[in-house]
Amino acid sequence: FPGGEAALIRFLSNNIRYPAMAADAGVSGSILVRFVVDKTGQITNAEVISAKKGAGLEEEALRVVKKMPKWKPGRQNGENVPVYFNLPINFKLQE
């Protein structure tokens, strides 16, 4: 991610909106999203691979992942290559 892990955490916290349906129902938890950073750094094939929590959490996690800026592509033997990435996104209600 451009700027490293701290920038990724900042991006997620600035862009995730807790779904109202989940907040009203008291639904929280971690959503694991898998995606591919392609040879150009674009995010492709984003999908939720964790157990479903419902109440809009999966949709919000996917929305934010698809909104991410280009990443620095993976490199192997001096060439850009596509790379799978698993990203946990935690939804936690404030007490």
Side-chain angles (χ1 to χ4, degrees), residues 1-12 15 32-44 46 61-75 80-89:
F1 190 83
E5 189 173 335
L8 173 58
I9 292 168
R10 206 168 31 255
F11 174 84
L12 292 174
N15 288 281
L32 187 60
V33 179
R34 178 174 62 190
F35 56 90
V36 175
V37 178
D38 73 10
K39 293 178 182 184
T40 66
Q42 292 283 14
I43 303 298
T44 62
L62 285 173
R63 182 191 70 79
V64 171
V65 165
K66 291 175 181 177
K67 184 180 177 179
M68 285 194 281
K70 279 188 170 186
W71 285 45
K72 185 176 177 183
R75 293 186 61 83
N80 290 355
V81 293
V83 177
Y84 272 105
F85 194 87
N86 292 332
L87 179 66
I89 298 178

Side-chain angles (χ1 to χ4, degrees), residues 16-64:
I16 288 178
R17 293 190 301 268
Y18 211 101
M21 189 169 41
D24 293 344
V27 178
S28 62
S30 184
I31 304 297
L32 187 60
V33 179
R34 178 174 62 190
F35 56 90
V36 175
V37 178
D38 73 10
K39 293 178 182 184
T40 66
Q42 292 283 14
I43 303 298
T44 62
N45 301 340
E47 62 181 337
V48 173
I49 59 172
S50 57
K52 300 280 187 228
K53 305 274 189 256
L57 295 184
E58 290 83 8
E59 292 81 1
E60 179 63 8
L62 285 173
R63 182 191 70 79
V64 171

